[in-house]
Amino acid sequence: MKIAVLIKQTFDTEAKIVVKEGKVDPSGVNVIINPYDEFAIEEALRIKEKVGGEVVVFSAGSDKVTESLRKALAMGADRAVRVELDGVAVDEGVVAEALAKAVGEGNFDLVLTGWLAIDDRSAQVGVRVAEILNLSQINMVTQLELADGKLTGSREIEGGMEVVEVPLPALITAQRGLNEPRYPSMKGIMQAKKKELKVVNASDLNISAQPKVEVKDVFLPKAKEAGKIYKDDMADAVSALVKALREEAKVI
Amino acid sequence: MAKVWVILEAQDQKIKKVSYEMIGLAKQLGDVEAVLLGSGVSSLAQEAGEYGVSKVFVADCAELKDYTTAKYTRVLADLIQKKKPEIVLVANTSQGRDFAPRVAQRIGAGQISDVMDYQEGQFIRPVYSGKAFFKVSPCACPAIVTVRPNVFPAAEKCGGSCLVEEVAASFSADDLKAIVKEVVKQVSSRPELTEANIIVSGGRGMKGPENFAILEEMADVLGAAVGASRAAVDSGWRHHSFQVGQTGKTVSPSLYIACGISGAIQHLAGMGSSKVIVAINKDPEANIFKVADYGIVGDLFEVVPMLTAEFKKLLS
Ligand SMILES: Cc1cc2nc3c(=O)[nH]c(=O)nc-3n(C[C@H](O)[C@H](O)[C@H](O)COP(=O)(O)OP(=O)(O)OC[C@H]3O[C@@H](n4cnc5c(N)ncnc54)[C@H](O)[C@@H]3O)c2cc1C
Ligand SMILES: Cc1cc2nc3c(=O)[nH]c(=O)nc-3n(C[C@H](O)[C@H](O)[C@H](O)COP(=O)(O)OP(=O)(O)OC[C@H]3O[C@@H](n4cnc5c(N)ncnc54)[C@H](O)[C@@H]3O)c2cc1C
């Protein structure tokens, strides 16, 4: 099995957001592999451990994302590819085309991605890549099985679960519940330093897409006014709260 | 006026609430037409007419009984390319977020995801877990916009009727490759988490799975859904489909009652857009009080049953 995994580097979930000159300021922020992409890496490694093959991780971004690619290699991926987007005007469609072109040369049986990047939150790139590469998809998968060249994935739907079967090659986007990602071992970290990390320039990929949406502004939510907090006498607190919910907030 | 499409979502032969919310938004944007896909759904089309939709395109055939990405993408992409709407609204639900980017990619469109507001020609969507917002506008036609449920006011019934145009659907072998093996519905009398108007949520402070019974009791009095923090899910007390937060569900109910939840940033990411937040926590310093509109500092095992009793009095 040849498996490609797409990983995005994102801000740490604790990161404080600062807006500077109309953009989110990345300086001094800790970065992590997007949590959903860690599930994707883990699932790829588990499949490889079962049926053999190769796991290749891809990330589009500047030299900074090398750190995340190395971490994926330390977890057990075999090779990494970084797609340099410098100088390219991007939106989700452009990023997807760049990644699809980089992945497309590899004849992969399976592509794994996260369902959403927790920073830009568009939940588009995985699905767009599936469309470009003409792959069947199962989105937001919480359980995955591989047998006889077919994938069976469970995905959450409103009020239940849906089980979908698709033939390979296919693309799966990972949702929490799929697995528990491993930590890199010391040995893995040492080995990762020697593994191949290739850089592909977006300008060599013949990208045809142009940005179709434009971010006009970034703003922070208004600070919330202090709420009404009741304490001491619980019976009083409860009746005051219920009264406020009915008469003031009008939500019950 | 711009031609704006709403892709209606129906379930169990009923048009879902989010569809009416999208019609409400669409009316601000231009002339509203709608699309309905499924099997045996034709009779639902007229209903949309009563909400101010001028025309409904209906693709009604046996193949569309089960939702699959490929089949929906085929029908919608073909139809959009033929009829050329300028904006296409899709519900940000498990279904909508599955096909929308695929349709967008096929027709070469941009997509603006998880929109929560519309102001002065720009769509507003949360980024960085709701710690910031982008104002986004499309710079090409058509544009696909996915709309967060429970945020926009639903369109009011205004009477009237609409034209219904039947759309023939035809599929290639590739479109039929994915097979839905099983749909498991949780039998629950409670509303679905992302659609609920009121959510009662429990965290590590619940101390054990059995104690969620007191939240369920409150929920049933309020007609609410029951959510959980990741700590409660990781402890195995609740299934992860009930987790609220950055790596769980994003919810926007009108009332969110957090019981024994500290208010970690990753939890707030999932419920910070709730209209009214109530916190019940014994620690006055808990972070959840910083975002709460109302709160009680106290032992939830004492407060929750009292609150339930008070709600019961009021609502019965
Ligand atoms: C108008 C506009 C301008 C922008 N300008 C910039 C810019 O100048 N610089 C910039 O860095 N970003 C920019 N962005 C953000 C960039 O477009 C998005 O990060 C990108 O489109 C991916 O979308 P997303 O992060 O929402 O990912 P999603 O669609 O939410 O991601 C889903 C999955 O796709 C995969 N994935 C997503 N992105 C990557 C990636 N980069 N590498 C590998 N896998 C990935 C991951 O598996 C992820 O879990 C801009 C966005 C817009 C709309
Ligand atoms: C990448 C990442 C993603 C994450 N995603 C999520 C997510 O999606 N959702 C999520 O919820 N978390 C998420 N987390 C975890 C998050 O950081 C917190 O650990 C978690 O939310 C804590 O859950 P809690 O509030 O239930 O528990 P705690 O933080 O332990 O808080 C328990 C609270 O209960 C109170 N309490 C205890 N007993 C009582 C009592 N008898 N009466 C009243 N109050 C009482 C305590 O005062 C305390 O405030 C994520 C973390 C990471 C790193």
Side-chain angles (χ1 to χ4, degrees):
Chain A
M1 268 293 260
K2 283 194 73 181
I3 309 174
V5 186
L6 308 187
I7 66 171
K8 187 181 185 194
Q9 189 172 66
T10 61
F11 282 20
D12 184 357
T13 56
E14 301 276 350
K16 189 169 179 327
I17 304 302
V18 177
V19 175
K20 220 167 124 183
E21 288 157 15
K23 286 220 156 70
V24 174
D25 183 8
S27 51
V29 172
N30 286 332
V31 289
I32 57 171
I33 297 176
N34 182 40
Y36 298 110
D37 304 355
E38 285 198 339
F39 302 134
I41 299 169
E42 178 64 34
E43 200 62 18
L45 295 175
R46 288 187 191 189
I47 294 172
K48 182 193 149 182
E49 282 156 10
K50 234 192 247 160
V51 304
E54 189 188 28
V55 174
V56 186
V57 284
F58 292 79
S59 188
S62 71
D63 188 40
K64 276 187 72 180
V65 308
T66 303
E67 184 189 335
S68 293
L69 287 170
R70 286 275 176 228
K71 184 180 173 199
L73 293 173
M75 286 171 77
D78 299 292
R79 309 190 272 123
V81 177
R82 178 169 75 81
V83 180
E84 175 61 67
L85 287 175
D86 194 24
V88 182
V90 303
D91 71 354
E92 295 80 1
V94 176
V95 172
E97 190 183 333
L99 286 165
K101 290 236 160 103
V103 169
E105 294 165 4
N107 276 320
F108 289 94
D109 305 294
L110 175 61
V111 182
L112 283 156
T113 78
W115 81 269
L116 161 135
I118 61 168
D119 49 4
D120 291 299
R121 291 191 78 257
S122 76
Q124 295 184 31
V125 171
V127 174
R128 282 180 181 269
V129 168
E131 172 65 18
I132 299 168
L133 297 176
N134 196 21
L135 303 172
S136 300
Q137 78 187 48
I138 315 179
N139 200 5
M140 302 184 78
V141 171
T142 55
Q143 208 184 327
L144 189 64
E145 267 161 57
L146 170 69
D148 312 323
K150 284 183 180 144
L151 286 169
T152 309
S154 304
R155 59 185 229 101
E156 275 173 23
I157 54 173
E158 285 74 20
M161 196 74 105
E162 188 176 80
V163 183
V164 183
E165 181 191 277
V166 296
L168 292 173
L171 183 142
I172 300 295
T173 79
Q175 163 68 311
R176 180 172 145 75
L178 186 58
N179 54 45
E180 270 310 314
R182 68 194 67 186
Y183 290 100
S185 65
M186 211 48 210
K187 190 166 152 233
I189 294 170
M190 297 309 292
Q191 284 173 340
K193 293 184 180 149
K194 298 196 210 89
K195 289 180 179 169
E196 179 187 308
L197 197 159
K198 201 168 87 176
V199 181
V200 177
N201 270 309
S203 49
D204 295 330
L205 291 173
N206 286 320
I207 298 170
S208 57
Q210 298 281 328
K212 304 265 170 41
V213 293
E214 196 178 350
V215 178
K216 299 279 194 187
D217 197 11
V218 186
F219 66 96
L220 302 179
K222 278 196 231 96
K224 238 180 145 156
E225 280 174 40
K228 279 191 190 153
I229 310 298
Y230 307 100
K231 46 188 165 222
D232 304 324
D233 187 296
M234 289 302 117
D236 286 352
V238 165
S239 56
L241 172 62
V242 172
K243 191 162 183 258
L245 290 177
R246 161 132 301 185
E247 290 170 13
E248 195 175 75
K250 300 193 170 72
V251 285
I252 54 167
Chain B
M1 275 245 268
K3 179 151 82 174
V4 183
W5 272 16
V6 173
I7 312 301
L8 300 170
E9 191 168 319
Q11 196 179 15
D12 305 327
Q13 300 300 318
K14 260 184 74 183
I15 294 178
K16 286 171 97 177
K17 184 165 142 252
V18 63
S19 300
Y20 296 114
E21 293 164 8
M22 289 192 286
I23 294 172
L25 171 62
K27 283 179 171 173
Q28 291 183 50
L29 304 172
D31 277 334
V32 189
E33 297 181 346
V35 183
L36 182 60
L37 271 57
S39 171
V41 292
S42 294
S43 58
L44 296 178
Q46 273 304 339
E47 253 169 66
E50 296 173 31
Y51 291 83
V53 173
S54 59
K55 188 177 200 178
V56 183
F57 297 93
V58 181
D60 190 336
C61 62
E63 286 95 336
L64 290 170
K65 182 169 174 290
D66 286 329
Y67 167 81
T68 67
T69 324
K71 289 186 286 189
Y72 266 53
T73 303
R74 166 69 56 208
V75 175
L76 290 171
D78 285 353
L79 199 59
I80 293 169
Q81 278 171 325
K82 213 158 99 195
K83 305 285 179 183
K84 306 201 183 325
E86 277 143 83
I87 297 176
V88 179
L89 303 184
V90 176
N92 190 15
T93 55
S94 63
Q95 223 175 67
R97 75 170 78 89
D98 184 57
F99 69 74
R102 191 127 194 171
V103 172
Q105 185 61 38
R106 188 165 302 173
I107 64 176
Q111 178 181 318
I112 305 176
S113 304
D114 198 24
V115 162
M116 293 184 65
D117 203 356
Y118 175 75
Q119 284 172 12
E120 293 151 17
Q122 291 171 349
F123 294 96
I124 299 189
R125 68 183 200 87
V127 289
Y128 297 88
S129 320
K131 287 185 268 185
F133 294 86
F134 278 170
K135 283 188 184 169
V136 193
S137 48
C139 44
C141 263
I144 294 189
V145 174
T146 67
V147 178
R148 182 181 288 199
N150 246 348
V151 175
F152 292 94
E156 303 274 341
K157 230 183 185 158
C158 52
S161 63
C162 61
L163 298 171
V164 175
E165 183 172 326
E166 280 181 35
V167 177
S170 62
F171 302 100
S172 71
D174 261 11
D175 296 335
L176 304 172
K177 277 200 295 203
I179 300 164
V180 177
K181 302 289 268 187
E182 202 183 348
V183 177
V184 191
K185 284 269 155 78
Q186 278 150 5
V187 241
S188 168
S189 50
R190 295 187 195 102
E192 209 279 317
L193 207 52
T194 54
E195 295 167 353
N197 240 322
I198 303 181
I199 295 174
V200 181
S201 241
R204 202 193 311 272
M206 295 308 296
K207 307 241 159 44
E210 66 286 357
N211 295 329
F212 272 80
I214 61 171
L215 298 189
E216 289 173 350
E217 205 181 322
M218 182 192 286
D220 291 342
V221 171
L222 295 171
V226 178
S229 74
R230 171 149 159 194
V233 170
D234 283 353
S235 307
W237 304 344
R238 301 302 274 184
H239 189 261
H240 64 74
S241 59
F242 296 108
Q243 180 180 316
V244 172
Q246 187 158 47
T247 45
K249 297 268 151 62
T250 305
V251 297
S252 312
S254 47
L255 174 60
Y256 188 91
I257 307 181
C259 307
I261 292 176
S262 62
I265 189 84
Q266 298 92 350
H267 189 77
L268 304 185
M271 43 65 78
S273 64
S274 306
K275 274 151 228 125
V276 174
I277 297 170
V278 171
I280 299 167
N281 198 301
K282 66 179 182 189
D283 174 10
E285 301 300 319
N287 197 51
I288 190 80
F289 286 120
K290 297 211 177 92
V291 298
D293 300 279
Y294 301 97
I296 296 183
V297 180
D299 181 356
L300 72 92
F301 294 102
E302 185 188 349
V303 174
V304 169
M306 287 168 76
L307 205 49
T308 304
E310 195 75 15
F311 284 142
K312 229 186 234 164
K313 260 198 279 175
L314 187 73
L315 297 170
S316 64

